Amino acid sequence: MSIQISKLDSSQVDFKKSLDALLAFEASTDEAIERAVAGILADVKARGDAAVLEYTNRFDRIPDGGAASMAAFDIGTAELQAALAAIPAAQRSALETAAQRIRAFHERQKQELQGFRYTEADGTVLGQVITPLDRVGIYVPGGKAAYPSSVLMNAIPAHVAGVQEIIMVVPTPDGVKNQMVLAAAAIAGVTRVITIGGAQAVGALAYGTETITPVDKIVGPGNAYVAAAKRRVFGIVGIDMIAGPSEILIICDGTTDPDWVAMDLFSQAEHDELAQSILLCPDADYIAKVEASINKLLPAMPRADVIRTSLTDRGALIKVADMAEACAIANAIAAEHLEISAEDPQRWADQIRHAGAMFLGRYSSESLGDYCCGPNHVLPTSRTARFSSPLGVYDFQKRSSLIHVSEVGAQALGKVAAELAYGEGLQAHARSAELRLK
Amino acid sequence: MSIQISKLDSSQVDFKKSLDALLAFEASTDEAIERAVAGILADVKARGDAAVLEYTNRFDRIPDGGAASMAAFDIGTAELQAALAAIPAAQRSALETAAQRIRAFHERQKQELQGFRYTEADGTVLGQVITPLDRVGIYVPGGKAAYPSSVLMNAIPAHVAGVQEIIMVVPTPDGVKNQMVLAAAAIAGVTRVITIGGAQAVGALAYGTETITPVDKIVGPGNAYVAAAKRRVFGIVGIDMIAGPSEILIICDGTTDPDWVAMDLFSQAEHDELAQSILLCPDADYIAKVEASINKLLPAMPRADVIRTSLTDRGALIKVADMAEACAIANAIAAEHLEISAEDPQRWADQIRHAGAMFLGRYSSESLGDYCCGPNHVLPTSRTARFSSPLGVYDFQKRSSLIHVSEVGAQALGKVAAELAYGEGLQAHARSAELRLK
């Protein structure tokens, strides 16, 4: 049975409406989850380790009647190194190559942001100082969705930023540890690994417990409980974006092997049923070829059911007037991943204002970027690329302003400040400036 | 009656506990406000302009039976320019000087963040592209808390970033417009001014209405309704930090005129009763002098009642062992504003890891920075300087990763990506990389 994927045409009168309907996605709030998470967080805040221990033993079904103390959840350096030694050589080599490339790219981000300082004619010095966060928590999901690549992508930017303590939490349902995840932690510069998860792990990182020092920021993906917990502790600690379903948008000029484009659409669709894969192309014949490739290649995919549902419910093949219109639509979509599979892709990339990551040319499949090109795979989803950025070193740094006014400078600035302060009715502000006048 | 301000000593056994109690501040969530805001936002989303018009007429008590249409709330360029021409020359000059200095500082921020691009040996190009947001909403409170300086501090970074549309909303209770605020908008590069406010204005900016194009980010301070509305629309649009009460921390070595230090403490305390002003000093005699200055200067302050309550409830004079300990405590507090009023202040600034803005030397009163030094006065409060930064040009820009893999590059990267993808059970990712292998 061939797949029923939406086909749109930008020349249709109702195209904008159809596109809006296709893109519409609102994360629902589950009140039961909200209440459960609020309770767990309050309990962890009040009872610390005892609460974390109980929830972990229960929710993760820790064997042998559960762990007796939090110490049982700490994975020492020796165990991480053992995991690295135990995984197949090809996997280890791939992880190390990926880590080295991710590190190299993120070092460039660090170089770009050095702060600045300048001195004005009257001796006043102004500037901006960049400092790393002290302590960061990395949340890594357990079970099937445990991705070693996510360990690298979340921990390496923190390590490059100069964060001194990188605490990784990863639940181990039924006590089962993922060796590739532990190996990735060994490579990525993680300081401490604790096998806890869920809202209780988020609470422990945010509030601290007897055995866990509170962190300054929590990053990394998680299920609905983890996302709800992160939202609730935001403000006490920093958090990264709460990610929505993953998306790929491919702009193709009709000259790439259609099998490649079909497989690139699959690579997003296989993540989950809500993932979104869209093709924009000015060539109707080529779109038909991609559709034929989809139907040809799908049966052999191990995750065919997920791919089929994702493409049927949320995918689309869209005929556009020309490549310029494709770029305009791409700007409206502001996709997480944007492939520009075309001759002279830079020409079209120059017209893109909003995208999490741009993959230029036929050889830049999104999957290369997901694992080992170097740029981060944690990217803004659900049109948030309009206002936010990939995860980066800058997420583990912050700026402080530096103001050193000279005695001469205080004379000129003091009069300006006093004038404005009186205008706003803030007399102590004005007097504070005036006291420095001769 | 002399003021009852807390006096702590770091050598006391319970000092850490006392300090924690002093700093404790948890913003309470008001369920009635949450429900009201949820209703207003849903109504604005459903009914657009009609809802915004009704709420504005009612909540802001627009005279003469209210405005007949949204057009009545638009303030044209001519009216902004008229406001600029109408305010006293000294005020206009002060606003223009402040704007020019704020612009100059923020231009440095823009220069620092230019993106990068590099080519690897096999021809693969990697990079990071910086682009401005398309449209931004600036919320400016109305009534007594209408601060023209905040208009400059919020709008100028957006303008410097290259944001094409900067829409300012400002409520006008009883229809009264603040001329100095309008003058500031004229100077700051605001594109459009709409006299609406509250949750209805936040909803209009986030969802868009018949007459208002939805923006990509909303920044600027507001009351509890505005803060609740911003939290709720976060994700649909970006928002800035939800600010807590303002804070100043002064480290003084005991050689600054105590009147200056007292007035600097006042300048924070006068904001509101919850504002926090703290002095750290190794010299007990000097602390006594500052206390005497406080009692001497307070009666003459127009906002003496607010200052008294703030200093009594949340202020403190803290005796420390030495300047190094003062810096360590300052790092734990991570203050919004940190004055280092001392000889060789840079020596101590080098020990500071966490602060929104550092004011070095005796002449750098916080009030100069609030108005006209150049750095932004929108700063992280409530210890969030541990993980966040002053408002800046970077808040109106975002990054996109750029990945252009060469044919040769795809051979090496494809094998690495496929190895890791198979390890994670994502076969379409692996196949997508492998299709590019020769």
Side-chain angles (χ1 to χ4, degrees), chain A residues 101 109 112 115 120 128 149 216 236 264 267 270 353 355 358 364 386 398 400 403 405 429 432 436, chain B residues 101 109 112 115 120 128 216 236 264 267 270 353 355 360 364 386 398 400 405 424 429 432 436:
Chain A
R101 294 187 58 87
Q109 288 182 336
E112 192 187 21
E120 300 189 308
Q128 187 165 279
S149 59
D216 301 306
I236 301 166
D264 292 359
S267 74
E270 76 173 338
R353 296 195 311 283
M358 291 185 270
S364 305
R386 291 175 295 126
K398 67 278 189 317
S400 302
I403 296 172
V405 179
H429 282 69
S432 164
R436 269 88 173 176
Chain B
R101 294 187 58 87
Q109 289 181 335
E112 192 187 21
E120 300 188 308
Q128 186 165 282
D216 301 306
I236 301 167
D264 292 0
S267 75
E270 76 173 338
R353 297 194 312 281
L360 308 195
S364 305
R386 292 174 296 126
K398 69 275 188 323
S400 301
V405 179
E424 294 185 352
H429 283 69
S432 164
R436 270 86 173 177

Side-chain angles (χ1 to χ4, degrees), chain A residues 106-116 128-132 160-161 392-400, chain B residues 108-116 128 130 389 394 397 399:
Chain A
H106 289 80
E107 289 284 358
R108 300 270 178 158
Q109 288 182 336
K110 189 178 187 186
Q111 282 164 27
E112 192 187 21
L113 208 60
Q114 295 285 336
F116 57 82
Q128 187 165 279
V129 181
I130 314 288
T131 41
V160 169
V393 171
Y394 37 82
D395 287 301
F396 302 100
Q397 299 174 310
K398 67 278 189 317
R399 301 162 171 94
S400 302
Chain B
R108 300 272 178 156
Q109 289 181 335
K110 189 178 186 185
Q111 282 165 28
E112 192 187 21
L113 208 61
Q114 295 285 334
F116 57 82
Q128 186 165 282
I130 314 287
S389 302
Y394 37 81
Q397 298 174 310
R399 301 162 171 94

Side-chain angles (χ1 to χ4, degrees), chain A residues 73-75 80 136-141 147-148 150-152 154-155 165-171 178 180-186 188-196 201 205 212 215 219:
Chain A
F73 299 137
D74 250 296
I75 298 194
L80 297 183
V136 165
I138 310 272
Y139 191 96
V140 177
Y147 293 144
S150 289
V151 175
L152 303 183
N154 281 278
E165 287 184 54
I166 303 173
I167 304 175
M168 177 175 129
V169 294
V170 55
N178 180 318
M180 206 169 164
V181 162
L182 298 189
V190 168
T191 319
R192 182 179 176 191
V193 176
I194 314 175
T195 57
I196 59 176
L205 291 171
I212 299 172
V215 301
V219 301

Side-chain angles (χ1 to χ4, degrees), chain A residues 86-101:
Chain A
I87 61 171
Q91 271 189 4
R92 175 177 178 155
S93 167
L95 276 179
E96 287 176 338
T97 300
Q100 175 269 318
R101 294 187 58 87

Side-chain angles (χ1 to χ4, degrees), chain A residues 220-235:
Chain A
N223 63 18
Y225 289 85
V226 173
K230 281 170 66 182
R231 273 188 192 277
R232 280 178 181 266
V233 299
F234 175 55

Side-chain angles (χ1 to χ4, degrees), chain B residues 386-398:
Chain B
R386 292 174 296 126
F387 56 84
S388 51
S389 302
L391 188 71
V393 171
Y394 37 81
D395 287 302
F396 301 101
Q397 298 174 310
K398 69 275 188 323

